[in-house]
Amino acid sequence: MQQKRTAAKAGTARRGATTGNGTAANGRATKAAAKRAGRGKEPGLDLLAYRDEFPILQRKVYLNSCSLGPLSRRSMAAMDRFQELWNEHGAQAWYQLWMGEIASLRAKVARLIGASPHEIAIAPNVSAALSEIASGLDLGERNRVVLADMDFPTLAYQWLAKRRTGTEVVFVPSPDRVTLPAELFAAHVDERTGLVATSRVFFLSGYIQDVRRVAEIAHANGALLLVDDYQGTGQIPLDVKALDIDFLVTGTLKWLMGGPGLAFIYVREELIPRLRPTVTGWFGARDQFQFRTTEFEFKDDAARLEAGTPAVAPIFAANAALDIILEIGVERIRERSRYLADDVVRRALDRGWKVSSPLDGAERSSIVLRSSSPRWTTSWRRAADRASRH
Ligand SMILES: Cc1ncc(COP(=O)(O)O)c(C=O)c1O
């Protein structure tokens, strides 16, 4: 009963604070949740008030955050503001306002992942972010790169494309196409290995890798660790320092709900001087606004990995979306979405379906897969259907 009242009250408060657009659909959702709350089991019921932030949730049951996160009213308003500023100030908007928006985004991303703003670079997508690192990192004699065969293809392509210049690419095979115990990396990482590049959350199964252990294995062998965290950031709490990650790439399309056109690179502070990308441009130059055509020096911070003019509309959208994520906190998002994913798994098993994700909720993110059937077509991946509640 207490929980019921708290949920309803929080809902009213959030609506007042944000959009004032409460709807019948949300009323029903809150009522249903409150009923379930009567059973005293469901965490994060007050978060249901945030459903009002997302117009699509009034019409749809949204199960595809691992592909494209939903658009919030706050991001829509921020993109409107971007257009107004462009109209009002023209090119002056760059110096007076948009650069500030970029700095604010960099600071929020740093806060979200436990880094400092000078360790963050902005890129148009994760593939471009990976290309910056791949072109900037000289592995010298250690030309072996170790990945998991469950990683997203674009991560592997960076180094497969470099095979013609001597890079050796090794894949650690998953024993069951669902999990990958970190110890399996140990057999493949050795003194020839310059880099271990893998994901924290596998897009193919939702499995959460023990990245801390993978970092230990990489570092014990003198190799660096790059993490593709596109499927983790925003749904599973992240502290890049605690996990001892050297490079991390992530983006706004999925769990950060900022839409397409924006990705981020984290570079551990001590490694920044080592990165000298051949994919570059004036946004990576130390004296960017001196316009010296005949001389080039990299910026001192991670922004040396940036190349040209960023897309500003997505920066506005992402800034607003990150406010929502930071306001709630990823710990609470994880608590709630783990409950929802457990619920999906339980219902699937009750129906006798084969779940191709870890059954243990501690090892599984919000991504749940089952062997394919034409009736569940949220997002098809290698003979399995994928659902991701958030
Ligand atoms: C884990 C992971 N990495 C990378 C990507 C691709 O990123 P981008 O299109 O920004 O290059 C995806 C897209 O689904 C992904 O799931």
Side-chain angles (χ1 to χ4, degrees), residues 66 125-128 152 154 199 201 203 228 230-231 254 263 386:
C66 63
N125 52 54
V126 161
S127 303
F152 192 82
T154 212
S199 324
V201 172
F203 83 109
D228 172 356
Y230 215 161
Q231 293 294 359
K254 305 168 190 294
R386 194 169 61 154

Side-chain angles (χ1 to χ4, degrees), residues 183 210-222 225 243-244:
E183 291 314 319
D210 182 355
V211 167
R212 181 76 187 79
R213 182 68 194 122
V214 179
E216 272 169 21
I217 293 167
H219 294 158
N221 286 280
L225 174 66
L243 296 182
D244 214 7

Side-chain angles (χ1 to χ4, degrees), residues 182-232:
E183 291 314 319
L184 296 185
F185 277 88
H188 300 272
V189 180
D190 59 18
E191 72 290 343
R192 287 166 296 170
T193 310
L195 185 72
V196 176
T198 192
S199 324
R200 189 165 60 123
V201 172
F202 285 135
F203 83 109
L204 273 182
S205 69
Y207 176 66
I208 305 171
Q209 283 214 79
D210 182 355
V211 167
R212 181 76 187 79
R213 182 68 194 122
V214 179
E216 272 169 21
I217 293 167
H219 294 158
N221 286 280
L224 297 167
L225 174 66
L226 183 156
V227 173
D228 172 356
D229 203 45
Y230 215 161
Q231 293 294 359

Side-chain angles (χ1 to χ4, degrees), residues 47-265:
L47 300 187
L48 287 176
Y50 280 91
R51 292 178 65 84
D52 283 349
E53 289 269 10
F54 301 90
I56 198 168
L57 301 188
Q58 320 306 315
R59 294 176 286 112
K60 302 225 188 261
V61 175
Y62 204 89
L63 294 180
N64 214 352
S65 288
C66 63
S67 179
L68 173 67
L71 174 63
S72 66
R73 293 183 200 281
R74 281 195 229 186
S75 288
M76 287 159 75
M79 285 190 282
D80 283 349
R81 207 169 84 77
F82 158 68
Q83 293 185 50
E84 283 158 18
L85 294 173
W86 182 4
N87 255 332
E88 198 177 323
H89 302 276
Q92 287 307 319
W94 264 118
Y95 305 102
Q96 290 166 6
L97 303 155
W98 292 351
M99 286 300 200
E101 196 74 18
I102 295 171
S104 143
L105 180 67
R106 213 185 287 277
K108 282 179 206 172
V109 172
R111 201 176 125 205
L112 183 74
I113 70 171
S116 299
H118 69 271
E119 295 174 306
I120 307 295
I122 289 171
N125 52 54
V126 161
S127 303
L130 289 165
S131 305
E132 289 291 342
I133 298 172
S135 92
L137 186 64
D138 182 358
L139 295 175
E141 298 288 294
R142 288 174 164 266
N143 61 355
R144 176 184 274 201
V145 178
V146 177
L147 302 106
D149 70 350
M150 296 272 286
D151 283 316
F152 192 82
T154 212
L155 180 62
Y157 295 166
Q158 307 307 317
W159 284 279
L160 289 174
K162 291 188 97 185
R163 279 199 296 201
R164 67 188 158 85
T165 53
T167 300
E168 185 198 349
V169 183
V170 172
F171 292 98
V172 181
S174 156
D176 53 8
R177 307 300 296 154
V178 174
T179 63
L180 188 57
E183 291 314 319
L184 296 185
F185 277 88
H188 300 272
V189 180
D190 59 18
E191 72 290 343
R192 287 166 296 170
T193 310
L195 185 72
V196 176
T198 192
S199 324
R200 189 165 60 123
V201 172
F202 285 135
F203 83 109
L204 273 182
S205 69
Y207 176 66
I208 305 171
Q209 283 214 79
D210 182 355
V211 167
R212 181 76 187 79
R213 182 68 194 122
V214 179
E216 272 169 21
I217 293 167
H219 294 158
N221 286 280
L224 297 167
L225 174 66
L226 183 156
V227 173
D228 172 356
D229 203 45
Y230 215 161
Q231 293 294 359
T233 320
Q235 68 145 326
I236 313 286
L238 173 62
D239 181 336
V240 286
K241 305 288 175 188
L243 296 182
D244 214 7
I245 293 169
D246 298 305
F247 309 108
L248 181 128
V249 292
T250 188
T252 55
L253 192 64
K254 305 168 190 294
W255 305 95
L256 294 182
M257 308 178 302
L262 198 52
F264 309 107
I265 308 171

